Amino acid sequence: MLFSEMTTREAFKITKQKMTEYQLEFLNRLNAIEVDAHWFRRVFHTFTASFLFYYIIPDEGWMRVVKIVIPTIIVLGMALLEARRLRGAINYQRFFGLRSYEMKRPASYLYFGLAVLILFLLFPQQIAIPCLLCASFTDPIIGETRYYLGKKRAYIIGFMVSFFIFVATWYQANWWIVILVSSLGALGALIGEAKKLKLVDDDFMIQMLPALILLLVWQGGIVLGVCILPPKMILPI
Amino acid sequence: MNKKKSIADQRTLTIQKLLIRLELWFAPLLLLLPLLVSLIFLWEWYAKGFIVGSSVYDGELLLGLIVLFGNLAFDVPFLRSIRMLKKKQ
């Protein structure tokens, strides 16, 4: 049938049918995409480095309240979700990339979120930034290199990566402070990652352990009359 | 009429399947947000530090580079893994 011979109604009907078929094919193609859980977890780790955006947001007026309330609500939401999953109200299959040991305890993303919240609210950014970056990059780098080079070499590489992160974020301090802080911070991050605890996830420990060590060093320095903190790295817009 | 109904049913089923697959909806965010944040850091350094001749923003340059290259290093194998699985199918 030529187009000129069709009625408007018929043309509309054919177009609609073609559109539906195309839409279905597109949806099927999307649904056929497989995501590798292993690399998904790795990318999830490196993605968390973008949380540093938090420090670009201004600290004045109502924004200060927003900077406290929003992250707290997000972590509470995550805790609620995990509570529902553990009670069986939400099927665990809805959570892509969960490890087998996370079936009966809170998943690592909750520990990660909680550690980030504590860092943001209770620690100065000079301490929080390298600790967060260690969780973002050192953890997946150790995970990958452990697979190819073995545990020992992976931990050496992990220590070096963490050391580099601390040097890069504390470069404005005195050289002896940079070396001291980088050594302690990298060691803390490495122990936090290597030491597997039953109740607390390594994603929590890799951030909190170096942060607590540096907090003690910082406060100890203040008692002795030395402020070791360098100037802030990220200035709000 | 029956064919029309079955197409509609199939579409509903596919949409439901897609909605469950959170990882698929997360993937663009995981890839694009860190790149965007690193570009913001680099822009801040360029506009407020480099042009003005101030070194106060050098820290943001360093962070921008760490976030950018750190993410690219893992984004590439992630995207490659998706392509490999697609090829296998």
Side-chain angles (χ1 to χ4, degrees):
Chain A
M1 194 185 344
L2 291 170
F3 189 75
S4 55
E5 290 169 354
M6 279 186 205
T7 61
T8 317
R9 204 172 177 179
E10 277 170 338
F12 180 69
K13 203 176 161 185
I14 291 170
T15 313
K16 197 179 166 189
Q17 200 180 335
K18 291 263 179 210
M19 285 290 282
T20 313
E21 279 168 17
Y22 174 74
Q23 212 178 351
L24 193 63
E25 195 191 322
F26 179 72
L27 286 173
N28 278 328
R29 273 189 193 181
L30 257 182
N31 210 12
I33 296 173
E34 283 295 326
V35 178
D36 187 343
H38 167 80
W39 284 109
F40 186 78
R41 286 182 72 96
R42 299 275 184 255
V43 170
F44 215 109
H45 264 276
T46 55
F47 154 79
T48 55
S50 56
F51 295 164
L52 292 183
F53 185 76
Y54 177 86
Y55 291 112
I56 285 186
I57 302 166
D59 269 325
E60 293 145 12
W62 60 274
M63 286 305 280
R64 187 178 289 183
V65 182
V66 169
K67 280 178 82 171
I68 296 170
V69 173
I70 298 287
T72 311
I73 289 174
I74 292 172
V75 173
L76 283 177
M78 279 155 57
L80 200 74
L81 202 67
E82 275 303 292
R84 281 175 62 81
R85 180 181 69 85
L86 290 170
R87 263 192 243 136
I90 303 175
N91 191 338
Y92 77 90
Q93 285 177 328
R94 277 185 176 252
F95 295 77
F96 183 75
L98 274 193
R99 290 196 193 278
S100 54
Y101 59 78
E102 290 172 327
M103 299 292 179
K104 286 179 181 173
R105 57 150 239 205
S108 56
Y109 75 89
L110 178 61
Y111 287 105
F112 200 112
L114 193 63
V116 173
L117 182 71
I118 294 170
L119 284 179
F120 281 170
L121 299 186
L122 303 178
F123 289 84
Q125 64 157 275
Q126 293 91 327
I127 293 177
I129 290 172
C131 295
L132 174 59
L133 288 178
C134 280
S136 303
F137 299 117
T138 307
D139 182 292
I141 286 172
I142 289 179
E144 274 311 298
T145 47
R146 187 165 40 199
Y147 184 72
Y148 295 105
L149 304 171
K151 228 177 197 178
K152 208 174 171 184
R153 283 182 189 166
Y155 287 149
I156 294 170
I157 291 170
F159 179 84
M160 280 157 61
V161 171
S162 306
F163 191 86
F164 166 75
I165 287 171
F166 275 95
V167 170
T169 46
W170 279 65
Y171 75 98
Q172 293 181 81
N174 282 335
W175 66 268
W176 67 270
I177 294 175
V178 176
I179 292 172
L180 177 75
V181 163
S182 303
S183 307
L184 290 174
L187 199 67
L190 192 65
I191 295 169
E193 167 64 22
K195 188 84 187 149
K196 303 291 177 201
L197 300 170
K198 231 180 185 182
L199 290 174
V200 187
D201 197 85
D202 58 343
D203 286 349
F204 183 84
M205 293 303 287
I206 197 173
Q207 296 177 75
M208 292 321 297
L209 201 59
L212 287 172
I213 291 171
L214 294 190
L215 184 75
L216 285 175
V217 174
W218 172 42
Q219 291 302 313
I222 288 175
V223 172
L224 296 172
V226 186
C227 184
I228 63 162
L229 281 191
K232 284 183 178 178
M233 262 195 120
I234 303 174
L235 300 174
I237 291 173
Chain B
M1 192 69 179
N2 258 348
K3 193 187 168 192
K4 212 174 172 184
K5 203 187 166 194
S6 75
I7 287 177
D9 286 347
Q10 202 184 337
R11 204 173 70 179
T12 317
L13 203 72
T14 322
I15 290 171
Q16 277 173 355
K17 271 187 200 170
L18 270 173
L19 285 176
I20 296 171
R21 297 193 54 195
L22 278 178
E23 80 277 10
L24 215 59
W25 303 113
F26 261 128
L29 181 81
L30 298 185
L31 298 175
L32 296 177
L33 193 64
L35 301 184
L36 183 73
V37 170
S38 64
L39 290 179
I40 290 172
F41 281 136
L42 294 176
W43 174 252
E44 281 272 298
W45 164 77
Y46 179 74
K48 294 179 181 171
F50 183 71
I51 289 179
V52 183
S54 162
S55 62
V56 179
Y57 288 88
D58 286 356
E60 293 195 23
L61 167 70
L62 269 172
L63 286 177
L65 291 174
I66 291 173
V67 174
L68 183 68
F69 288 113
N71 272 278
L72 284 178
F74 282 89
D75 287 353
V76 173
F78 174 63
L79 289 172
R80 203 178 285 161
S81 77
I82 291 177
R83 271 190 70 188
M84 289 290 277
L85 286 172
K86 217 176 170 184
K87 265 187 188 173
K88 268 186 192 173
Q89 279 185 335

